[in-house]
Structures are given as structure tokens and as C-alpha cells.
Amino acid sequence: MLPLTNGSHDKDAGFSEYVAAHAEQVRFTAYLLCGDWHEAEDLAQTAFVRLYLAWERVDRTEPIDAYVRKIVTRTYLNERRRLWRKLERLTSAPPETPAESPPAPEQRMLIMRALSQVPRRQRAALVLRYWEDLSLVEAAEVLGCSVGTVKSQCARGLQRMRELLPDDVAIGGRDR
């Protein structure tokens, strides 16, 4: 994924092993945040570049995954703040929903589409809490906000998704 030409061999080897083992997970988390595979690839690439630059300073007593997740989430949120215009999102799904209960893959697509329509802070909170399975405290740390803010962002995000989804697609929530 990244050309490794600078730095010590040990640094490069350790970093390369980490990227090889976690690249797909980081890309998918980025995709859940932004809803676009190309943008997700860019977010993952940015996260890995920042991780590489900080590789020697990363505290090995704490999971590197949490550090990378924080980089991806904050990069996503910061890039969204810079956009002053609303981007149009194209979708291949028809505007009408199926009349009968769709199979699991179709439900997943509907949920992904609804998630893409949730405001960015709410979406980040939902992804961290329900996809990454972080506790309220962990999600608050990644987002740089209070536990109460994470709770309210998740509640509002879940409510918005329920409004967007057909009645036969169930989503839940939980507090930890």
C-alpha cells in the first residue's frame, strides 16, 4: 500500500506487517464513515501515512488499532468541515423499496444507504459504537467529545436511520 523507502528496516518491517494485517479493516471503517470506496481508500491511505510518520512514537502498551481508528475518524470529520458546498451523492439503488422483506444482503445495502444520509457527526458516532463496537467512553475519546454527546449523537443518528429505512428493516441500539 505504501512505498517504504525511508527509515530503518525494523521500522519498515513492523509497519508493513501492521498494514498488511489491518488494511482491509481500516478501509472498511473508512467506507462506513464516508460511504464511498474511493474516498475510503484516501482516508485509509492518509491514516497509514500519519501512522508511519508517528510509528516510532506510538505507545505500544495501547492498541495501535485505537490510534488508527482515531486518525481515520478525525481525518474524515476534519475533511468534512472544509467542504463548504454540499456534494451530490449518486446511488444505484432505485428510490422505491421492495414490497416484501428483502434478504439480508439487500437489507444491508438499505442500511448502508440510510447510514450515508445521516449527518457526519452522528454517522461517526454510529460507526464507532455499533460497527467498531466501542464503548461510550472509547467512542467519546475518538470523537474528542463527552460521553453524553456520543449518546445523543447515536440516539439522533438511529432515529434518522429509522426514518429513512422501510418498516421491515430493523435496526437497534444499545448503551454500554
Side-chain angles (χ1 to χ4, degrees):
M1 177 172 231
L2 293 173
L4 303 175
T5 57
N6 298 344
S8 72
H9 179 66
D10 292 339
K11 175 183 175 181
D12 291 350
F15 177 76
S16 294
E17 288 175 20
Y18 180 83
V19 170
H22 296 88
E24 278 305 309
Q25 176 187 352
V26 172
R27 272 194 295 266
F28 195 71
T29 297
Y31 173 74
L32 289 173
L33 288 169
C34 67
D36 177 86
W37 282 111
H38 298 292
E39 188 178 346
E41 183 67 34
D42 291 344
L43 283 172
Q45 184 77 11
T46 300
F48 287 131
V49 167
R50 290 183 182 172
L51 176 63
Y52 183 75
L53 294 173
W55 188 252
E56 293 174 349
R57 296 186 316 267
V58 174
D59 182 6
R60 300 291 195 261
T61 61
E62 294 184 28
I64 297 173
D65 296 346
Y67 182 70
V68 173
R69 188 172 24 252
K70 186 183 292 188
I71 293 171
V72 169
T73 303
R74 289 188 177 174
T75 300
Y76 165 73
L77 293 173
N78 287 337
E79 286 180 2
R80 293 292 183 216
R81 286 185 193 122
R82 288 186 211 131
L83 291 178
W84 58 271
R85 66 186 185 279
K86 185 177 179 179
L87 298 176
E88 183 177 333
R89 297 253 181 217
L90 300 177
T91 177
S92 61
E96 61 276 346
T97 57
E100 61 191 47
S101 180
E106 290 178 17
Q107 283 187 352
R108 183 177 176 140
M109 299 234 356
L110 291 172
I111 291 170
M112 297 296 280
R113 184 173 47 173
L115 183 63
S116 73
Q117 297 175 35
V118 172
R120 64 181 170 77
R121 293 287 294 180
Q122 294 172 14
R123 182 179 186 154
L126 290 172
V127 168
L128 292 172
R129 287 283 289 133
Y130 303 114
W131 179 261
E132 291 292 328
D133 201 27
L134 297 184
S135 69
L136 288 167
V137 173
E138 292 167 329
E141 185 198 320
V142 170
L143 292 170
C145 63
S146 70
V147 169
T149 300
V150 173
K151 285 182 180 181
S152 66
Q153 292 294 316
C154 286
R156 289 182 188 130
L158 287 172
Q159 180 59 39
R160 180 66 182 135
M161 286 186 68
R162 287 184 185 107
E163 292 168 3
L164 294 168
L165 289 169
D167 292 335
D168 62 342
V169 178
I171 58 169
R174 70 193 184 309
D175 284 323
R176 284 190 290 172

